[in-house]
Amino acid sequence: MARLLKIDVFTDVVCPWCLVGSARLDQALAKLPDDVEVVVENHPFYLDPTVPPEGVDVGEMLKAKYGREPREMWERVEGEAKKAGIELDLSQQPRMFNTAKAHTITRLSKANGNQHELANAIAEAYFLDHQQINDDNILADVAVKFGWDRGDALDAMNDANELAITEQLATSAAQQGIRGVPFFVFGEKYALSGAQPDEVFAQALDKTISEL
C-alpha cells in the first residue's frame, strides 16, 4: 500500500534561490522508493510585495539595498545553481516583476495536479529563457503546456477576485512567520528554509517518511 507524503512549498518565481531549492527538492524526490506517493502543493509568497507591474531593475535595487555591486551576490547563487545542474546567468534577466498573476495561475492549477511543475516552468521561463513574466501572453504560453485553455488562463490571471485571494494568501504566509523563500513543510510536521544542500533534503524526507 502506498504511503502518502504531502509537501507544502512556498516560493516566488522571481527568487533565484527558489529555483535552486525546487531543483534540489525534485532531485531528492526522484530517489524516493516507489511505494511513496508525493503530493506537492505550492503556496503564494511575494519576495517583494512592493514591486510594480512593470518591474524594477534588480541590479539597481540590490545596490540600493546592500550598497555593493550585485555581481558577487549573483555569483554565489549561480555557483549553487550549477551544483544542481542549472546553468544560471542572472545578468541576463535584469528585471524583477510583480508575480501576482504567476501565483494565481499556479494556485488555480491545483485541480490539475501539476502546480509544482507549472511554477517551475514559469521560473525557468524567467531565469533561463529570460522572458518577461509580467506579460499575460508569456504566462498563458506556459499555462497551455500544463493543461490550460489559453482563454481560460488569461481570464483566470486577470480575475480581480482570484488575484485578491492570492494576495491574501501571500500576506497570510508572511504573517505566519515565513520570512523568506524557498520554504518547505514536509508532512505538515517539519519545515526547511532555504536552498539547503542535497543531504538536508534527503534527511528531511527520510525522517518524514519514517513517521508515515
Side-chain angles (χ1 to χ4, degrees):
M1 186 173 176
R3 293 172 288 174
L4 181 63
L5 171 62
K6 169 82 180 300
I7 303 175
D8 292 282
V9 176
F10 295 80
T11 57
D12 198 353
V13 292
V14 291
C15 161
W17 286 111
C18 295
L19 183 74
V20 177
S22 288
R24 288 180 173 163
L25 172 66
D26 291 344
Q27 288 161 9
L29 293 179
K31 298 174 183 175
L32 292 182
D34 292 340
D35 70 332
V36 177
E37 181 184 345
V38 180
V39 174
V40 179
E41 183 171 352
N42 278 62
H43 302 273
F45 188 92
Y46 292 148
L47 192 63
D48 183 349
T50 67
V51 172
E54 68 274 13
V56 296
D57 184 295
V58 177
E60 293 301 321
M61 180 193 69
L62 291 173
K63 276 193 278 189
K65 188 172 182 178
Y66 298 106
R68 54 195 172 109
E69 289 296 320
R71 185 68 258 171
E72 59 188 274
M73 291 179 269
W74 287 345
E75 285 174 353
R76 181 165 170 254
V77 67
E78 286 167 2
E80 291 300 314
K82 193 161 191 173
K83 293 177 189 175
I86 302 167
E87 291 296 330
L88 182 62
D89 181 354
L90 290 171
S91 69
Q92 297 299 309
Q93 180 49 276
R95 297 190 73 76
M96 176 192 289
F97 297 108
N98 181 289
T99 54
K101 291 181 179 182
H103 279 305
T104 297
I105 200 69
T106 299
R107 181 174 61 77
L108 294 173
S109 292
K110 182 178 178 180
N112 296 340
N114 56 15
Q115 277 188 314
H116 184 57
E117 293 82 2
L118 174 61
N120 286 347
I122 296 172
E124 288 168 8
Y126 172 69
F127 281 114
L128 305 183
D129 299 330
H130 318 126
Q131 294 185 338
Q132 312 305 295
I133 58 163
N134 63 329
D135 185 315
D136 288 5
N137 286 311
I138 296 292
L139 287 176
D141 287 345
V142 179
V144 165
K145 296 175 184 175
F146 291 87
W148 280 87
D149 171 82
R150 187 178 190 84
D152 289 346
L154 289 167
D155 288 345
M157 69 180 72
N158 286 287
D159 185 302
N161 183 56
E162 296 295 355
L163 287 165
I165 292 170
T166 298
E167 177 81 21
Q168 182 182 17
L169 290 169
T171 302
S172 176
Q175 290 172 342
Q176 288 172 29
I178 298 175
R179 294 286 172 258
V181 286
F183 190 86
F184 308 92
V185 181
F186 298 89
E188 300 181 337
K189 280 185 175 183
Y190 303 112
L192 196 62
S193 180
Q196 298 288 341
D198 294 340
E199 59 268 22
V200 177
F201 278 101
Q203 289 164 6
L205 286 167
D206 288 346
K207 182 169 180 58
T208 309
I209 290 168
S210 72
E211 298 175 10
L212 291 176

